[in-house]
Amino acid sequence: MKVNARTFYLVPYLLWILLFVIAPILLILYYSFFDIEGHLSLVNYEKFFTPVYLKMTLSSFWYAFLITAFTLLISYPTAYLLTKSRHKQLWLLLIILPTWINLLLKAYAFLGIFGTFGPANSFLEWMGIGQKQILFTDFSFLFVSTYIFIPFMILPIYNALEELNPVFMDAARDLGASKWTTFRRVVFPLTLDGVKSGCQAVFIPSLSLFMITRLIAGNRVITLGTAIEEHFLVTQDWGMGSTIAVFLIIAMVVIMIVTGNRK
């Protein structure tokens, strides 16, 4: 019996998905039905719909939305300017380079930058404003998170802008459209797939942040990722941590469907 070559090469990918995607999700789902004492129960799901966890979920979505919005506001003009620059590949490489640095190292770097005697406070003193508490605030958390996710927003938008046929913009100008009207009615709608991909790449990881919330926000910001880490590593309540993870996975799937390409 002959084995189709395509089927043969598909086996490693199917095994990878089964072992590292489907199996962990099923394991999380399994643990979510056990309470802290190891008894089969739905108490974790009942607990999730209490005000404490619902408030934490809304807070996670709010911070993820803010991070995505700030990242998009910075990334779209940057990506547009990149497509018009002469040395676009060099600038693109400089934007990508920070992603090669470990996230923990970048977080510790910002601890020094935003610290009491760091460059940020030195600049404020030079401006005559004086020292301020920058670390362990919403500002520091949003700033660092936005900085970390910017490359992941720029790349898909840049690719969408690069693929945009300039004939459409020329036609809009010939028909008397202003630069703003051309952007609003032609450029942005035609690059919307890139924007959606960038929002997916930023919003979904932002929901599960936990390292930055600890180091930069000082646990003042509690996200779903922080709660999962607490339940698994501190309270040892794997059932509740798994339950939060289940709802986080559901939220991620819904976001991917809503922002996905309908073609």
Side-chain angles (χ1 to χ4, degrees), residues 192-193 196-197 199-200 204 254-261:
L192 197 57
D193 283 342
K196 287 179 179 180
S197 297
C199 289
Q200 279 184 5
I204 292 175
V254 170
I255 292 162
M256 289 180 70
I257 293 171
V258 170
T259 60
N261 195 337

Side-chain angles (χ1 to χ4, degrees), residues 71 74 98 101 106 110 142-151:
T71 306
I74 297 169
I101 301 171
K106 286 188 280 191
F110 276 104
L142 292 172
F143 185 95
V144 175
S145 301
T146 301
Y147 163 78
I148 287 168
F149 286 120
I150 276 176

Side-chain angles (χ1 to χ4, degrees), residues 98-120:
T99 63
W100 300 355
I101 301 171
N102 186 277
L103 179 61
L104 187 61
L105 291 176
K106 286 188 280 191
Y108 274 112
F110 276 104
L111 284 176
I113 292 170
F114 288 152
T116 307
F117 303 103

Side-chain angles (χ1 to χ4, degrees), residues 54-255:
L54 289 178
K55 184 179 178 182
M56 178 193 64
T57 304
L58 290 173
S59 176
S60 296
F61 273 87
W62 173 243
Y63 281 111
F65 168 76
L66 288 177
I67 292 167
T68 306
F70 290 141
T71 306
L72 179 61
L73 287 173
I74 297 169
S75 299
Y76 201 104
T78 305
Y80 185 81
L81 291 173
L82 275 175
T83 58
K84 303 298 180 184
S85 64
R86 291 180 58 188
H87 306 290
K88 61 180 74 175
Q89 297 303 325
L90 174 62
W91 289 112
L92 197 61
L93 177 63
L94 293 175
I95 290 170
I96 295 172
L97 274 176
T99 63
W100 300 355
I101 301 171
N102 186 277
L103 179 61
L104 187 61
L105 291 176
K106 286 188 280 191
Y108 274 112
F110 276 104
L111 284 176
I113 292 170
F114 288 152
T116 307
F117 303 103
N121 264 313
S122 297
F123 176 74
L124 291 177
E125 282 191 337
W126 179 75
M127 291 288 292
I129 299 173
Q131 286 188 353
K132 298 291 180 182
Q133 178 62 44
I134 304 175
L135 275 177
F136 313 133
T137 61
D138 285 0
F139 166 79
S140 62
F141 171 69
L142 292 172
F143 185 95
V144 175
S145 301
T146 301
Y147 163 78
I148 287 168
F149 286 120
I150 276 176
F152 302 102
M153 181 72 80
I154 287 179
L155 287 174
I157 295 174
Y158 172 82
N159 290 332
L161 287 167
E162 277 286 275
E163 293 172 2
L164 183 62
N165 194 331
V167 171
F168 294 117
M169 290 178 283
D170 294 336
R173 283 193 291 269
D174 290 342
L175 292 170
S178 63
K179 289 183 178 180
W180 169 245
T181 304
T182 302
F183 171 76
R184 185 169 56 89
R185 301 291 296 273
V186 178
V187 177
F188 188 76
L190 291 176
T191 57
L192 197 57
D193 283 342
V195 172
K196 287 179 179 180
S197 297
C199 289
Q200 279 184 5
V202 174
F203 190 91
I204 292 175
S206 297
L207 282 175
S208 56
L209 285 173
F210 67 91
M211 187 188 301
I212 298 174
T213 57
R214 278 190 175 280
L215 295 176
I216 304 298
N219 276 346
R220 289 171 180 262
V221 176
I222 303 297
T223 64
L224 292 173
T226 310
I228 292 169
E229 184 204 22
E230 287 283 336
H231 283 299
F232 272 96
L233 301 181
V234 180
T235 65
Q236 297 292 307
D237 189 353
W238 288 23
M240 193 62 221
S242 297
T243 303
I244 299 170
V246 167
F247 283 101
L248 182 60
I249 292 168
I250 293 170
M252 290 176 176
V253 171
V254 170
I255 292 162

